[in-house]
Amino acid sequence: MTFRIAIIGRPNVGKSTLFNRLVGKKLALVDDRPGVTRDRREGEAKLGDLVFSIIDTAGLEEGPEASLPGRMRAQTERAIEEADAIFFLFDARQGLTPDDRMFANLVRRADKPLILVANKAEGRAGEAGAFEGYDLGLGDPVPLSAEHGDGFAELYAALLEALPEQTAAPAEDEDSVPPLALGDDEDGSELDPTKPLRVAVVGRPNAGKSTLLNAILGQERLLTGPEPGLTRDTIGVEFDWNGRQVKMFDTAGLRRRAKVEDKLEKLAGQDALRAIKFAEVVVLLLDATIPFEKQDLTLADLVEREGRALVIGLNKWDLIEHRGAKLSELKEEAARLLPQVKGAPVVPLSGATREGLDKLMRAVFAAHEVWNRRISTARLNRWLAGALEASPPPAVSGRRIKIRYITQLRARPPYFLLFGNQLDALPASYERYLVNGLRQAFDLPGAPIRISKRMGDNPYADSKPRRK
């Protein structure tokens, strides 16, 4: 039986380090300064033979509800509500603080199974501080070191005691047939498991990415506010949209590299760039009131170079007057400024008013279909014959470039291979002609199109010239 654990504690007690240790990856950003984590992040954890969901949360801080600490605390309280049990962390090297005692009352009121974890318990100072945990009245503290991997056997035992039903081994039925492993069928060949569509939402700071995801989910899942740069970790959330499974990633706002000096912002930016590399579709979210800034164009170019499907979202559309004329203007501007992704869908929307969400998701699914499209070799070569007849390749040094054949090597993104002679001399302008022709003939709007060239061997290349 699966279950959920929320990691709770004040800032800088090692919650994200424990989260990363349990999921086996460096998913959450970690730094020595307090308050790095702001949103709650969920991952699949393993502890011994137990597999469960683990939620990393922001450090608990006091503050008014409308303030940033207050909004962060509200996210943590939602994580507590969703969890089956709680890991309450304190810093054993520092010992108990007044904040630890105050927030202990918060988790005590939750009335859920709780494991008190004395993190950073390595060394004599840590050992002494761990014993202070008894003063909280939350049970025996479990001393461990998330950074060094010590004490996890004791944490495993405490988890078995806290959740006896959820952690009990399933009863074996001798008459039952063991289920097939995911990815295998009866003859051992691989199956294609159904996976959610991976979508990354990227853009400049304060473009409204977290607000958009909250609107799509219909809940305040992600931290939002007027402060730019709120999001640091890349947070993935799964949901069902009209029968389609989607995993959408909220990312940190990306500024020009020259302007980024803070280490945390650099780490958050690298996390966002990784999200682009592993996504299938990228939604580039623009502020419709100041669209197509230089950074927007840089991000669109990056998405194209990474070979991802692109959808351009014009957020804050509720603030735009004369919308029809403005949309036509911005579509023309997109075609002019981003010829490498010609035809990429441009969708007006508003995360604040939930306007245009259906159009956005339809554009995402359509872009994914184009990105996956395969075209038969016969159709490609019929098209090629017409394209060559309409505009033959130019001659080079008195010899005409010959393109004999085209085929599609793969999709995701569409990748084509040309066969012929002297293709290494094919001008970039003619290659663009072929790319635009492929887009138009086979309905490939916005998809990054890749073309490789293969030439036949010249049998006379290594022969010696004949003497007269």
Side-chain angles (χ1 to χ4, degrees):
M1 181 185 297
T2 186
F3 55 93
R4 275 179 166 182
I5 303 289
I7 306 176
I8 309 298
R10 61 180 177 79
N12 216 29
V13 294
K15 297 182 296 298
S16 294
T17 304
L18 177 59
F19 175 87
N20 287 342
R21 175 72 66 173
L22 289 171
V23 299
K25 301 176 186 176
K26 289 187 177 180
L27 291 181
L29 297 182
V30 175
D31 194 73
D32 290 338
R33 78 184 80 176
V36 172
T37 302
R38 288 175 170 172
D39 273 297
R40 51 195 161 113
R41 179 175 201 145
E42 191 163 347
E44 184 180 273
K46 287 192 71 176
L47 184 59
D49 58 349
L50 301 177
V51 179
F52 53 95
S53 293
I54 190 82
I55 308 172
D56 186 23
T57 65
L60 289 165
E61 295 183 80
E62 276 297 298
E65 288 186 9
S67 67
L68 178 56
R71 301 199 305 275
M72 290 163 60
R73 190 177 64 254
Q75 289 288 329
T76 299
E77 289 171 353
R78 291 192 188 98
I80 292 174
E81 291 174 6
E82 296 174 1
D84 296 294
I86 298 167
F87 288 165
F88 183 68
L89 266 64
F90 71 96
D91 186 335
R93 285 189 308 215
Q94 190 174 354
L96 291 181
T97 68
D99 284 344
D100 289 321
R101 299 178 190 277
M102 179 172 54
F103 294 126
N105 293 325
L106 172 67
V107 296
R108 190 180 286 112
R109 289 196 301 269
D111 194 26
K112 293 194 174 183
L114 184 143
I115 298 171
L116 180 62
V117 179
N119 192 27
K120 309 182 186 180
E122 67 277 11
R124 291 183 180 179
E127 273 183 43
F131 287 112
E132 293 186 23
Y134 286 102
D135 292 347
L136 294 177
L138 297 176
D140 296 345
V142 177
L144 63 75
S145 171
E147 185 175 359
H148 297 99
D150 299 331
F152 282 82
E154 291 77 8
L155 184 64
Y156 173 83
L159 191 52
L160 293 181
E161 184 178 346
L163 294 174
E165 294 183 8
Q166 292 92 329
T167 59
E172 293 186 5
D173 185 353
E174 294 181 359
D175 298 327
S176 66
V177 178
L180 294 170
L182 182 64
D184 295 332
D185 59 15
E186 293 180 356
D187 63 3
S189 60
E190 290 189 359
L191 295 170
D192 291 325
T194 303
K195 296 182 179 179
L197 171 61
R198 299 189 304 276
V199 182
V201 182
V202 302
R204 288 181 284 118
N206 224 27
K209 299 178 290 297
S210 300
T211 302
L212 172 63
L213 262 75
N214 284 341
I216 290 172
L217 295 169
Q219 58 175 295
E220 292 298 311
R221 171 63 181 81
L222 298 159
L223 186 66
T224 60
E227 304 91 344
L230 268 184
T231 301
R232 286 175 174 164
D233 284 287
T234 296
I235 307 295
V237 289
E238 289 194 34
F239 59 93
D240 179 285
W241 188 272
N242 295 334
R244 292 281 301 272
Q245 285 299 118
V246 180
K247 186 168 187 178
M248 191 168 277
F249 295 87
D250 184 26
T251 64
L254 292 166
R255 296 196 299 158
R256 290 172 55 191
R257 189 176 300 176
K259 291 186 176 181
V260 179
E261 296 179 355
D262 182 71
K263 176 187 173 184
L264 265 182
E265 188 174 355
K266 288 181 181 178
L267 291 173
Q270 291 167 5
D271 212 23
L273 296 178
R274 278 194 294 272
I276 292 175
K277 291 180 180 180
F278 290 104
E280 297 168 277
V281 181
V282 176
V283 175
L284 175 57
L285 200 63
L286 312 185
D287 184 334
T289 62
I290 43 171
F292 297 113
E293 296 280 295
K294 184 177 180 180
Q295 180 67 356
D296 297 327
L297 304 181
T298 301
L299 289 174
D301 189 57
L302 172 65
V303 173
E304 192 278 335
R305 282 189 279 114
E306 290 294 337
R308 307 299 107 183
L310 176 67
V311 174
I312 299 172
L314 298 172
N315 196 24
K316 308 182 184 180
W317 197 245
D318 52 308
L319 304 178
I320 299 297
E321 298 180 358
H322 312 297
R323 296 183 182 182
K326 186 66 173 178
L327 181 57
S328 299
E329 175 191 329
L330 292 179
K331 285 184 176 180
E332 290 177 7
E333 199 167 351
R336 177 177 61 84
L337 295 172
L338 299 169
Q340 69 273 39
V341 286
K342 187 175 181 180
V346 178
V347 182
L349 59 96
S350 170
T353 64
R354 297 179 56 83
E355 178 185 352
L357 300 186
D358 281 316
K359 290 181 180 178
L360 175 68
M361 296 308 297
R362 284 199 300 270
V364 165
F365 296 138
H368 184 251
E369 189 276 326
V370 170
W371 191 65
N372 279 277
R373 187 168 298 163
R374 287 188 173 274
I375 305 161
S376 70
T377 299
R379 290 181 64 203
L380 284 170
N381 282 283
R382 283 197 297 270
W383 164 80
L384 180 62
L388 295 176
E389 184 178 352
S391 179
V396 176
S397 301
R399 296 182 61 189
R400 185 165 295 281
I401 297 173
K402 293 183 179 178
I403 303 176
R404 304 184 186 280
Y405 187 70
I406 185 173
T407 189
Q408 184 175 1
L409 289 180
R410 58 177 180 266
R412 304 166 65 89
Y415 194 117
F416 302 94
L417 181 62
L418 292 175
F419 295 85
N421 294 340
Q422 300 190 94
L423 295 182
D424 54 345
L426 192 68
S429 58
Y430 197 83
E431 202 167 314
R432 285 195 298 272
Y433 163 72
L434 294 177
V435 167
N436 289 334
L438 286 165
R439 282 196 198 285
Q440 186 173 0
F442 300 107
D443 193 22
L444 300 172
I449 292 178
R450 304 286 188 258
I451 290 184
S452 282
K453 292 159 278 191
R454 185 174 295 173
M455 293 171 284
D457 295 331
N458 183 351
Y460 305 105
D462 297 325
S463 64
K464 296 180 180 179
R466 290 189 303 170
R467 293 180 180 177
K468 294 183 179 179

